[in-house]
Amino acid sequence: MTSTVLARKYRPHGFDAMVGQEHVVQALRNALLQGRLHHAYLFTGTRGVGKTTVSRILAKALNCVGPDGQGGITAEPCGQCQACRDIDAGRFVDYVELDAASNRGVDEISQLLEQAVYKPVAGRFKVYMIDEVHMLSTTAFNAMLKTLEEPPDYLKFVLATTDPQKVPVTVLSRCLQFNLRPMPAETVQAHLSKVLGAEGIEFDAASLRLLGRAARGSMRDALSLTDQAIAFGSGRLQESGVRQMLGAVDHQHVIRLLQAVVRGDGAALVDQVHGLQREGVSAASTLEELASALQRMAVRQLAPGAHVDEDGDANQWQELALALAPDETQLFYSLCLQARAEMAWAPDEHGALLMTLLRMLAFKPGTAVALGTMETPPPPKAAGSGRASAQPEPSSPAHRAERSLEAVVPPAPPAPPVPPVPQVPQVSPDRPAQRATPSPVADESEPPPWVDAEELAAQEMDTAPVVREPQPPSAPEAVAQPPLPVLAADPVRDAWTALVTQMVDEGLISALLRETAMQSECVGRRQDGQVSHWTLRVARDSLCTEAHRERLEKAMAQCLHAPVCLVLDKGATNDTPAVREQLARARRQQQAQALIQSDPWVVDALRRYPGARLVPDSIRPL
């Protein structure tokens, strides 16, 4: 005894039963009610979102005659007339479904279009539905263009594809395009609840949540997974059985991993990953669950009043969201996404998972990693004092900002300490010694009445310590650049270089002929009436050929608009357009390097950091 699978048993037979595609249903309803029917429709979207279903409902709406046989085009097919029943059963003669994946040639399309000249046999319209239309060959597309643009009034085309980018623009422009969107997990869960209720099968909300997420927007995948879960659970859907069937990661594993990250306990992370490996839990699924958990935590942190996909562990997610800083949550989320992309190159997927979690610990600010004997050193104490110097807390935002600044801008070297110069009190010869030295507790804002002000000023000038301004380090010496050779001015070679540049700009020479011109040195030029005579010397035998001479002579005549007689000689060359171009490029490079070396900002940076240097190869002239 067999039973119909849920995906076929609960396929919608009308627009009112469609789930998750309200934007497409509304447009088709209005078009049917107003009589504004197009001759070609294109439905795009991922697998299992309802492309074929919409096509069949549209075909029934166009051919439905009602229970009494007197109906017309309608947005609500009755499902009782002969046309509706035949279309649902797949035996309606005027509704043709063609699989373009197996009938992609021009012969199959031509055979289909030959039947388009005949009017419908049993219905009001002929409907040609071509599934996976992007699989058609180029000649097949070209064969159907004319009929697709101007079909008979009784013919409608319905095209469906999962990859609209492969459909030619000439076909897209002839169709009304509707994009069927992937369905949210909540929509899938609600539909599964109705289906299971109609089937009389026991289930819990957590199992439907797992199936809705595993379907990834496809209702057909969700119903197929539900069939499998019913068989796996002996007619019941429970979270433990569905999770085991899907290989999904238990939320408690993810919670324990995040708790170990919050505590900074590296040993616990290693144990947890080894436990997942022993249980056969997929590392990729664990990373996916970690990313989803961090996403929920970020929503709780930055948008407390927003809706979050709740589950039975909502309180624990809230505690973790309060334990982590928002910037740490965002960083960990990025690390999870990057690890999923890099897992294909990892030698072991569980090793990649472990490295991702340890990377979270390494990038977690102010955390003492509990791996081995690594500990955070105690803060330094102020010199000459039993109290610790005033430093920001390791986990405070000020400390994070200070660490980030130190990582970007290294601290300047400390200035050498200036030794204090002891001040020796000077005693005036005309005054007693005991009266010349003021008491240590006396007010130093003004001199005592028995001290002469002019004499005190002179004493301060004599005894003041000499403080010299620190001299900045000398400017770094510019990197010596080798002198470039200077070519002697020659009108003949200048004219040849200008002519080669003009021929290249005008596109008269290219590839090997351009190489011949660039590597040639002009050794002679004379004018004989209207004929211009040129003598070139070429160093390479492969360039000094008769074929190159003829082609270059023709190009020169086109550029000069006059007859040219060209002679190619074999010999050593010194002053060619290629050499001049190379010297000009080197001269621009030297000018750019000199400009950078003399820049005030660069000079100041080289003075500040003695180990800094310029890399000449990194400088490019504009």
Side-chain angles (χ1 to χ4, degrees), residues 238-585:
Q238 294 182 345
E239 180 186 7
S240 58
V242 174
R243 189 180 296 278
Q244 183 180 0
M245 181 195 74
L246 297 175
V249 183
D250 191 355
H251 286 167
Q252 292 301 320
H253 291 307
V254 178
I255 289 174
R256 285 194 289 269
L257 289 174
L258 290 176
Q259 287 174 346
V261 171
V262 171
R263 296 193 308 268
D265 191 351
L269 283 178
V270 175
D271 293 340
Q272 289 289 334
V273 174
H274 288 168
L276 293 175
Q277 189 172 10
R278 286 192 299 269
E279 296 178 10
V281 179
S282 171
S285 300
T286 305
L287 276 177
E288 183 178 350
E289 291 293 336
L290 272 173
S292 300
L294 291 168
Q295 177 185 355
R296 289 194 291 270
M297 292 165 55
V299 173
R300 293 177 183 276
Q301 290 171 345
L302 302 178
H307 171 72
V308 185
D309 185 16
E310 298 291 347
D311 50 36
D313 306 317
N315 294 332
Q316 292 177 303
W317 297 130
Q318 182 66 26
E319 294 175 0
L320 288 173
L322 296 176
L324 280 179
D327 56 345
E328 294 174 0
T329 305
Q330 300 292 333
L331 174 63
F332 295 163
Y333 181 78
S334 300
L335 291 177
C336 288
L337 296 185
Q338 182 180 2
R340 290 185 63 188
E342 296 176 351
M343 186 166 286
W345 291 276
D348 178 19
E349 66 171 9
H350 284 88
L353 172 63
L354 178 59
M355 285 301 299
T356 303
L357 296 170
L358 295 180
R359 194 177 300 171
M360 292 181 183
L361 288 189
F363 284 94
K364 190 175 186 298
T367 300
V369 183
L371 289 175
T373 58
M374 295 179 61
E375 297 181 356
T376 304
K381 295 185 177 182
S385 172
R387 298 182 295 108
S389 61
Q391 298 289 341
E393 292 296 330
S395 60
S396 64
H399 181 75
R400 299 174 194 167
E402 182 179 351
R403 293 203 321 168
S404 301
L405 184 60
E406 291 176 356
V408 177
V409 182
V418 180
V421 180
Q423 298 185 6
V424 180
Q426 301 291 333
V427 181
S428 173
D430 299 333
R431 304 289 182 181
Q434 62 274 15
R435 299 180 61 186
T437 305
S439 173
V441 298
D443 187 9
E444 297 180 1
S445 59
E446 57 182 358
W450 60 81
V451 179
D452 189 7
E454 295 181 359
E455 184 179 354
L456 181 61
Q459 293 177 6
E460 292 179 353
M461 291 292 294
D462 296 337
T463 60
V466 179
V467 180
R468 298 181 179 179
E469 293 291 335
Q471 297 296 328
S474 58
E477 297 182 359
V479 180
Q481 300 179 356
L484 297 176
V486 179
L487 299 177
D490 189 336
V492 175
R493 293 182 175 86
D494 293 344
W496 170 242
T497 302
L499 179 60
V500 172
T501 303
Q502 184 178 354
M503 288 190 294
V504 172
D505 294 340
E506 294 181 1
L508 299 177
I509 56 175
S510 62
L512 196 58
L513 191 61
R514 177 183 180 276
E515 186 69 14
T516 302
M518 294 292 292
Q519 300 294 340
S520 302
E521 180 180 1
C522 185
V523 295
R525 176 192 176 191
R526 62 185 179 86
Q527 192 72 24
D528 187 4
Q530 295 183 353
V531 180
S532 180
H533 295 265
W534 296 75
T535 303
L536 304 180
R537 184 183 298 141
V538 186
R540 293 167 54 182
D541 294 336
S542 59
L543 301 179
C544 187
T545 63
E546 181 63 21
H548 289 175
R549 188 200 68 78
E550 293 178 357
R551 293 173 57 192
L552 186 58
E553 184 180 72
K554 182 177 180 181
M556 294 170 61
Q558 291 181 359
C559 186
L560 296 174
H561 303 288
V564 173
C565 180
L566 178 62
V567 177
L568 288 183
D569 292 337
K570 177 69 172 58
T573 59
N574 296 320
D575 188 357
T576 64
V579 172
R580 293 194 173 199
E581 183 180 355
Q582 184 178 3
L583 288 177
R585 190 183 303 112

Side-chain angles (χ1 to χ4, degrees), residues 72-237:
I73 298 176
T74 177
E76 303 292 341
C78 67
Q80 302 176 12
C81 64
Q82 189 65 33
C84 290
R85 288 188 311 221
D86 288 348
I87 291 175
D88 287 334
R91 56 174 180 264
F92 192 63
V93 67
D94 293 322
Y95 177 69
V96 180
E97 286 190 4
L98 181 68
D99 180 20
S102 56
N103 301 277
R104 60 188 308 267
V106 64
D107 295 335
E108 290 83 356
I109 295 298
S110 299
Q111 184 178 0
L112 179 68
L113 296 178
E114 287 177 359
Q115 305 299 322
V117 297
Y118 302 106
K119 290 186 176 182
V121 176
R124 190 179 296 114
F125 289 95
K126 273 189 172 183
V127 180
Y128 286 170
M129 194 276 179
I130 305 178
D131 197 9
E132 299 298 338
V133 69
H134 67 275
M135 301 292 289
L136 290 178
S137 63
T138 304
T139 53
F141 274 122
N142 294 334
M144 65 181 296
L145 283 180
K146 186 60 179 177
T147 307
L148 185 64
E149 183 177 7
E150 297 179 355
D153 295 339
Y154 51 82
L155 180 60
K156 303 294 180 185
F157 281 95
V158 178
L159 312 179
T161 178
T162 56
D163 195 355
Q165 296 180 354
K166 294 183 179 179
V167 179
V169 181
T170 52
V171 174
L172 295 177
S173 64
R174 290 165 166 83
C175 302
L176 287 185
Q177 183 173 349
F178 295 94
N179 183 24
L180 279 71
R181 305 165 185 165
M183 303 178 196
E186 294 81 1
T187 303
V188 175
Q189 295 170 26
H191 186 66
L192 291 181
S193 177
K194 295 180 181 179
V195 171
L196 293 175
E199 290 288 319
I201 296 176
E202 297 181 7
F203 63 92
D204 54 11
S207 61
L208 295 189
R209 187 181 302 111
L210 291 173
L211 293 173
R213 292 179 57 188
R216 300 188 182 277
S218 172
M219 187 63 73
R220 184 176 61 218
D221 289 1
L223 292 171
S224 300
L225 290 174
T226 304
D227 267 326
Q228 183 179 352
I230 293 172
F232 187 87
S234 299
R236 298 179 58 188
L237 266 66

